[in-house]
Amino acid sequence: VAISPKFMQYFDSWISFQQKTSFHRTQTMDFKNGYAFFRLPREGVGGETLFANQLSQDELDGLCTKGATLTYGQVKRPAPSRFTPAFVAYDKKVLKFDAYFMEEVAISPEEHYRIRHVCLYYYLEDDSMCIIEPKVKNSGLFQGKLMRRHRVPKNEHGDYYHWKDLNLGIDLTIYGRTYRLVNCDPFTKVFLESQGIEVNPPEELVSDPYTEQRRMPVQKPIVPASPDPFRQFLAYDTKVLRFYAIWDDTNCAFGDHHPCIIHYFLADDTVEVREVHKRNDGRDPFPVLMRRQRLPKVFADKNKNFPSCVLEITDHEVQEWYSPKDFAIGKTVTLLGRTFLIYDCDKFTQDFYREKYGITDFQPVDVNKKPLEKVPQVIRPYNGFGIPEDSLQNCLSLFPKPPRKDIVKMLENNLKVLRYQVALESPVPEDKNRRFILSYFLSDDTIGIYEPPVRNSGIPGGKYLKRTKVTKPGSTPENPIYYEPSDFTIGSTIEVFGHRFIITDADEYVLNYLERNAESFPAATVQSIRDHFLPRKMVVETTSSGIPKKDLDDLIVEVQKELKLLEPFNTRQFHEAFHHFDKEGSGFLDKPRFLNICDRFNVPTSTILLTKV
């Protein structure tokens, strides 16, 4: 049996397919110059080599038409006709019909219905339809595509409109709106006739009556003989009467007197009102209060139910309009419900009234507001809380602010403090020996009092008065007078919130500060501090006069030994006696007084020891 080579080739392919382990397919899509294209595979499934097809296309077509016969061999059959789908056969083939529909108009007194022209397109490829209305400029209607392209239902049974249902001279109801088909294009007519449909004769396209009425020329009304307005315009063009007025709006909530300017245009007897704005007046910057228009003065008799507020006013409804004779200085005019008081006018207006009406009195009316009588502000009495300046802020503003401080003074006198030693003046025996340190802060004129603690005194000591301003006795809350450095002298009494203190001593910084700024303080204050520090200076001078310190210490030891020989010696009474005989407070006693005090206290006065002293 002879075996053909092609059979052996197919047999080998089948054997190799049974032994395959890889079944992937080769890539047939490729890109070239940015375009995708299809190429024939060079390898088969699993990378197997493909043999080129030796048969031509005609031979392959012949093999497809051959039938299996045993007697007469293969019979050639004709190739089947090529099938063409509808979307290819009818691509870009559209039936066009001219139509119109009638739309009801219920809100216009001039028309009850309108005719709208449309174009109906039927697409043969998918039996879809769309309706487009040509746009008319300034028509005020929503035109263009009235119905998008889609298959239009014909009835409630699920049927759709077909091109067989379309013809001229018929009414087509689509979504409740009836269209009248009146004409079509030549292609539509040829297509329908080729399909065996007898096309009806075309009809005339009905026009819209309102549109035809608008196209008719408007007849100009015949004006009876009267003063020529054009002559008035030529004579009084650019000539305007200007009046200065006040609009009283105080009857309304938040109303006020608004200054306005009234312009009367002589060319056409129109009136314009402009509001005069001032800087920071709090109103919106709209200059025109009333636009330029003719203003009615007296209306004719009319029906009260007539809606004149929303319609334009015609000459038939007005009996008299405002004219130049209705405006004058000192006169009140009502324009569209607003009352204006005219108080002045410009020079051109005065000349116009003088020539035409013979008016010569143009005295302006004074409309300036009289200044309100200033009500004196009553300051409530000081309640004792805080300092008076701080409490005063509650009377000056709704939202009180802290009192302003002198920053320059605070910077110049920063950390400058005058310290004094004071004693409390009190009838209580326990308070006689209490000593305090009074500090005066020059930066803000405040006073602070501190009591040094004394052991076993029964008084804890510490801060007696926090830093605050202290007023003098007799000052009022409306005009407080505070203590100053010039008020602090040795022996003076300071009253602090009902407590009296006597100044007994001062710091050396006080003397140095007063001497450096002697021109700013009274001479009595400076001299008082100087006299207080004079004995201390003399003691210092005596100590530094040249006496050896060892001899001075030996003398002190000898005096102490003599005093110890006495029975009990009262040192406190001895010191009080010295201060009693020192009337001037100089810190020194002469020799006779000194010996007299020694005899009183039975102090032995050795001649040798007295000579050394």
Side-chain angles (χ1 to χ4, degrees):
V1 179
I3 301 175
S4 65
K6 186 166 291 189
F7 175 78
M8 292 299 297
Q9 183 179 355
Y10 286 133
F11 182 76
D12 293 340
S13 299
W14 181 79
I15 294 298
S16 61
F17 179 77
Q18 294 294 329
Q19 297 176 356
K20 275 183 182 179
T21 59
S22 178
F23 298 93
H24 66 275
R25 298 183 63 184
T26 59
Q27 178 70 26
T28 59
M29 296 295 296
D30 200 355
F31 284 87
K32 187 174 183 180
N33 295 331
Y35 293 92
F37 69 95
F38 175 80
R39 59 180 174 81
L40 294 176
R42 298 179 181 179
E43 296 178 353
V45 177
E48 185 182 49
T49 303
L50 294 178
F51 296 97
N53 194 354
Q54 302 298 330
L55 299 177
S56 63
Q57 185 66 31
D58 296 336
E59 293 176 347
L60 292 175
D61 294 341
L63 291 175
C64 293
T65 58
K66 285 183 179 180
T69 58
L70 299 177
T71 305
Y72 300 102
Q74 301 290 340
V75 179
K76 291 187 178 180
R77 298 179 181 177
S81 61
R82 194 178 292 272
F83 173 73
T84 304
F87 66 87
V88 176
Y90 296 114
D91 184 28
K92 298 182 181 178
K93 294 182 179 181
V94 183
L95 305 182
K96 178 188 175 185
F97 295 89
D98 295 333
Y100 68 89
F101 68 93
M102 186 173 63
E103 184 181 27
E104 184 181 358
V105 180
I107 59 175
S108 176
E110 299 179 356
E111 56 176 343
H112 303 289
Y113 68 93
R114 66 172 62 101
I115 302 298
R116 300 178 63 175
H117 300 162
V118 297
C119 295
L120 188 145
Y121 295 92
Y122 185 93
Y123 298 86
L124 296 172
E125 57 178 331
D126 56 355
D127 298 329
S128 60
M129 299 171 60
C130 76
I131 299 176
I132 297 178
E133 181 181 8
K135 291 187 177 181
V136 180
K137 191 175 182 180
N138 297 328
S139 66
L141 301 175
F142 178 75
Q143 296 176 327
K145 183 177 289 188
L146 301 183
M147 186 182 74
R148 64 178 179 84
R149 177 180 172 182
H150 66 288
R151 296 189 68 186
V152 180
K154 182 179 180 182
N155 50 36
E156 298 178 353
H157 304 292
D159 299 333
Y160 295 94
Y161 277 111
H162 195 260
W163 51 266
K164 298 179 182 179
D165 302 322
L166 304 180
N167 204 337
L168 302 183
I170 65 172
D171 293 333
L172 195 66
T173 303
I174 300 176
Y175 296 124
R177 179 178 288 174
T178 302
Y179 297 89
R180 180 73 175 180
L181 304 184
V182 296
N183 204 349
C184 64
D185 60 351
F187 171 77
T188 304
K189 184 176 181 181
V190 171
F191 177 80
L192 293 177
E193 290 177 349
S194 66
Q195 299 298 327
I197 299 176
E198 184 180 355
V199 180
N200 299 329
E203 299 179 357
E204 225 177 282
L205 195 63
V206 180
S207 60
D208 184 26
Y210 180 73
T211 305
E212 294 297 329
Q213 181 184 354
R214 292 289 302 272
R215 290 175 181 174
M216 294 176 60
V218 180
Q219 296 181 359
K220 296 183 179 180
I222 300 175
V223 182
S226 61
D228 188 5
F230 187 65
R231 182 177 181 180
Q232 179 184 357
F233 173 78
L234 294 177
Y236 295 107
D237 187 25
T238 68
K239 295 182 179 180
V240 183
L241 305 180
R242 175 177 293 181
F243 301 93
Y244 302 97
I246 288 292
W247 171 32
D248 188 0
D249 191 30
T250 54
N251 295 331
C252 300
F254 310 105
D256 198 359
H257 292 85
H258 303 264
C260 301
I261 297 178
I262 301 177
H263 290 154
Y264 189 94
F265 297 86
L266 297 173
D268 53 359
D269 295 327
T270 55
V271 181
E272 178 192 58
V273 180
R274 287 179 170 266
E275 186 174 0
V276 179
H277 291 279
K278 297 180 180 179
R279 191 174 184 180
N280 297 328
D281 59 358
R283 300 188 182 93
D284 294 332
F286 297 117
V288 179
L289 182 64
M290 295 184 190
R291 65 178 178 85
R292 181 177 175 180
Q293 57 184 313
R294 293 187 70 187
L295 296 179
K297 181 181 178 182
V298 181
F299 285 93
D301 296 336
K302 61 181 179 179
N303 189 6
K304 295 183 179 180
N305 298 327
F306 187 74
S308 61
C309 61
V310 295
L311 300 177
E312 295 183 357
I313 300 175
T314 61
D315 294 340
H316 304 287
E317 302 171 14
V318 180
Q319 186 175 353
E320 183 182 359
W321 300 88
Y322 272 104
S323 60
K325 61 182 180 181
D326 299 320
F327 297 90
I329 296 178
K331 202 170 183 179
T332 301
V333 293
T334 303
L335 307 178
L336 298 183
R338 296 179 175 89
T339 302
F340 296 87
L341 172 63
I342 301 176
Y343 65 89
D344 200 0
C345 61
D346 61 353
K347 186 177 183 303
F348 172 77
T349 306
Q350 296 178 7
D351 297 338
F352 176 82
Y353 277 88
R354 189 180 294 109
E355 294 176 3
K356 189 165 185 178
Y357 298 103
I359 300 175
T360 57
D361 185 13
F362 299 101
Q363 184 67 25
V365 180
D366 187 13
V367 294
N368 296 325
K369 294 182 180 180
K370 296 181 180 180
L372 299 177
E373 184 179 355
K374 190 174 182 180
V375 179
Q377 187 177 12
V378 179
I379 304 299
R380 305 300 300 173
Y382 177 55
N383 55 8
F385 292 96
I387 60 177
E389 290 84 357
D390 195 6
S391 300
L392 182 63
Q393 299 300 321
N394 296 289
C395 303
L396 300 179
S397 62
L398 183 61
F399 299 98
K401 298 180 180 179
R404 299 186 63 179
K405 298 180 181 180
D406 192 350
I407 304 299
V408 177
K409 182 178 180 180
M410 293 178 63
L411 295 176
E412 291 179 351
N413 299 309
N414 188 26
L415 303 179
K416 293 182 180 180
V417 183
L418 305 181
R419 293 181 176 87
Y420 302 89
Q421 180 180 346
V422 295
L424 180 61
E425 184 179 300
S426 174
V428 181
E430 289 78 4
D431 294 339
K432 289 185 178 181
N433 296 327
R434 297 176 65 181
R435 295 295 180 267
F436 300 87
I437 304 299
L438 186 146
S439 301
Y440 187 91
F441 298 89
L442 296 172
S443 60
D444 55 357
D445 299 329
T446 56
I447 294 176
I449 300 178
Y450 175 79
E451 182 179 9
V454 180
R455 296 183 63 182
N456 300 329
S457 63
I459 300 174
K463 183 184 292 186
Y464 187 80
L465 176 68
K466 72 174 184 179
R467 184 174 173 179
T468 182
K469 286 187 175 182
V470 180
T471 57
K472 293 182 179 180
S475 62
T476 60
E478 294 79 9
N479 188 20
I481 302 175
Y482 298 101
Y483 278 107
E484 298 178 353
S486 58
D487 300 322
F488 298 98
T489 58
I490 303 299
S492 62
T493 302
I494 306 298
E495 185 173 343
V496 180
F497 301 117
H499 299 272
R500 298 172 62 86
F501 294 89
I502 301 175
I503 299 178
T504 60
D505 199 357
D507 195 356
E508 288 189 10
Y509 178 78
V510 177
L511 177 62
N512 297 333
Y513 180 79
L514 295 180
E515 289 180 346
R516 285 197 306 268
N517 304 278
E519 67 278 358
S520 302
F521 300 100
T525 304
V526 181
Q527 189 62 36
S528 173
I529 303 299
R530 285 176 180 172
D531 295 343
H532 179 71
F533 281 93
L534 182 61
R536 300 183 187 179
K537 289 185 178 181
M538 297 182 65
V539 171
V540 172
E541 292 174 0
T542 304
T543 306
S544 58
S545 59
I547 301 176
K549 187 174 182 304
K550 185 176 182 306
D551 296 344
L552 186 59
D553 294 339
D554 294 341
L555 179 60
I556 293 173
V557 172
E558 291 184 17
V559 172
Q560 290 177 350
K561 287 182 180 180
E562 289 291 337
L563 293 177
K564 288 180 181 179
L565 296 177
L566 298 175
E567 292 294 336
F569 182 72
N570 194 341
T571 308
R572 180 180 176 183
Q573 294 181 359
F574 193 69
H575 289 173
E576 291 178 355
F578 268 86
H579 286 287
H580 176 72
F581 283 99
D582 187 10
K583 302 294 185 181
E584 297 81 6
S586 61
F588 289 88
L589 293 177
D590 53 2
K591 187 174 181 180
R593 291 183 180 178
F594 174 70
L595 295 177
N596 187 14
I597 294 173
C598 292
D599 292 339
R600 281 192 175 188
F601 290 90
N602 298 322
V603 177
T605 55
S606 173
T607 306
I608 301 174
L609 186 59
L610 182 60
T611 304
K612 291 182 180 181
V613 173

